[in-house]
Amino acid sequence: MSERRAARAAAVAIAHRSAGRKRPFLVALVATLGSLLGVATVIAVTASLFVGGLARSFDDRTTTLPDAFPSGPRPAATDGAQNILLIGSDSRAQDDPDGDRAAGGRSDALMLAHVPADRDAVYLMSIMRDSWVEVPGRGRAKINAAYSWGGVPLVVQTVEQLLDTRIDHVAEIDFAGFRDMTNALGGVTVQAPSDFTARAGTHFSAGPNHLDGDAALTFVRERSAFADADHTRVRNQQAFMRGVVDGVLSKGTITNPGRIQDFVSATSEYLSVDAGLDFRTLVGLGWSLRDVRSSDLVTFTMPTAGGGTSPDGQSYVAVNDLAVQSLSRALRSDDVATWLEANPQ
């Protein structure tokens, strides 16, 4: 007799012995199990509809970049790891207000997110917008000029050439989206590295500052208030990204479906991604990073070597070529952690 039949026979025998007696506990147990099953079904259906709604919101609102990557030879991919180029563009920037010789929109924030194969951390590296680099087909220039000259594909090509590392995905967000995503989270707390007052008159104290959307936008844009200009600016942008991650992973967000929906909608409205970075891909990447916490987000800046002035009078940030070469090897070998130990910031 199989185990299932034996269990069934035992249950029948017990039932016969208990015939004629009331069985309130058994009735209650069956009713409870039935109720739990019903609740579980409702939760599953609701979750499915919610995730489906998020997917539709993301796919409907997000712009797909038809030609995100350059044509021609490119660096080989790093097995298991992912390199995602994050471009913060500023559509309000017109007529070259900062003397970049790059009229129109600019890549005012440029970050490389390196996700290692073991998924035990995320490394977020800022590339200073005034870095003096070789722009393919254009010669030496500030790296943010690549965006104005050739859009996202030329930015990708420039970064791949600079780091000799393949970019697997690219995401571009307009700075205005920083404001709306901040408001969707109910504000973001940033750790300002220094005390300063922005041109708009907004004051930020060294240490924690809880920002609404407008203040966050001012925080990530400001650079004229600092003696070292973009050096502090990129640290502020890193602080903002850490604040967003903290906000997304907070209990107040992950237990609030409405807030999650608002955040996805607010972000998607200003987001453009390569064709391969769809909602399914993002969910898969997010699931692979399920054990990562905000403390596992490691931020740093691509090594620089002081400043200089170009023949046509532009002030730029010099790249530390030797340090970048070793960083390039670390990215390709998926060992950024060791590189950071040898090159602390």
Side-chain angles (χ1 to χ4, degrees):
M1 183 181 294
S2 68
E3 292 182 1
R4 181 176 297 178
R5 288 182 177 177
R8 185 181 300 163
V12 169
I14 292 173
H16 281 302
R17 287 197 301 269
S18 304
R21 294 185 297 173
K22 295 183 178 180
R23 295 166 294 175
F25 175 77
L26 182 59
V27 172
L29 178 61
V30 171
T32 300
L33 291 175
S35 298
L36 288 176
L37 180 61
V39 170
T41 302
V42 170
I43 290 175
V45 172
T46 302
S48 176
L49 292 173
F50 176 63
V51 173
L54 288 180
R56 287 191 297 274
S57 178
F58 181 86
D59 291 335
D60 290 347
R61 290 171 175 263
T62 301
T63 301
T64 299
L65 297 165
D67 300 305
F69 301 104
S71 57
R74 299 176 60 202
T78 302
D79 189 30
Q82 291 278 296
N83 293 305
I84 304 170
L85 188 63
L86 308 177
I87 302 173
S89 59
D90 202 348
S91 59
R92 58 133 202 184
Q94 302 292 329
D95 304 322
D96 194 28
D98 291 324
D100 299 319
R101 314 293 169 87
R106 302 185 307 244
S107 54
D108 269 13
L110 194 58
M111 296 180 174
L112 179 70
H114 176 76
V115 183
D118 60 15
R119 301 298 196 262
D120 65 350
V122 175
Y123 299 93
L124 188 63
M125 181 183 76
S126 294
I127 302 174
M128 294 183 64
R129 46 165 273 165
D130 289 345
S131 297
W132 194 249
V133 302
E134 185 72 23
V135 179
R138 293 284 187 162
R140 305 285 290 180
K142 294 179 181 180
I143 196 168
N144 76 320
Y147 182 86
S148 177
W149 288 335
V152 171
L154 187 56
V155 176
V156 172
Q157 187 178 14
T158 301
V159 173
E160 287 190 335
Q161 177 177 281
L162 174 65
L163 298 174
D164 192 20
T165 300
R166 188 181 186 90
I167 303 300
D168 300 291
H169 293 293
V170 59
E172 177 190 359
I173 186 168
D174 191 286
F175 266 28
F178 288 8
R179 176 186 58 221
D180 288 2
M181 73 167 67
T182 298
N183 288 334
L185 291 173
V188 166
T189 298
V190 301
Q191 294 287 336
S194 61
D195 195 89
F196 70 95
T197 300
R199 285 172 295 181
T202 307
H203 182 75
F204 301 92
S205 301
N209 295 258
H210 189 73
L211 310 180
D212 63 12
D214 289 331
L217 198 53
T218 298
F219 185 76
V220 298
R221 277 176 168 166
E222 184 61 34
R223 77 170 186 162
S224 64
F226 314 120
D228 61 1
D230 263 3
H231 290 276
T232 297
R233 186 189 199 204
V234 297
R235 288 195 292 270
N236 286 346
Q237 291 171 352
Q238 292 167 0
F240 172 75
M241 293 299 292
R242 185 178 295 280
V244 169
V245 171
D246 286 340
V248 170
L249 296 181
S250 70
K251 183 177 180 181
T253 297
I254 61 177
T255 60
N256 187 334
R259 179 167 288 182
I260 295 174
Q261 178 71 60
D262 289 346
F263 179 76
V264 171
S265 298
T267 305
S268 303
E269 186 75 22
Y270 298 92
L271 190 65
S272 300
V273 298
D274 68 89
L277 196 58
D278 56 12
F279 188 79
R280 181 186 296 272
T281 301
L282 282 174
V283 169
L285 182 61
W287 178 252
S288 73
L289 292 167
R290 61 190 178 277
D291 294 327
V292 170
R293 300 295 179 260
S294 57
S295 59
D296 298 317
L297 175 65
V298 182
T299 58
F300 65 104
T301 303
M302 190 184 75
T304 59
T309 303
S310 68
D312 60 353
Q314 298 181 65
S315 296
Y316 62 77
V317 174
V319 173
N320 186 330
D321 292 327
L322 288 177
V324 169
Q325 288 174 15
S326 64
L327 170 63
S328 172
R329 290 191 294 271
L331 286 166
R332 294 196 305 274
S333 63
D334 195 17
D335 194 12
V336 176
T338 299
W339 184 87
L340 283 170
E341 288 179 4
N343 298 267
Q345 295 191 0

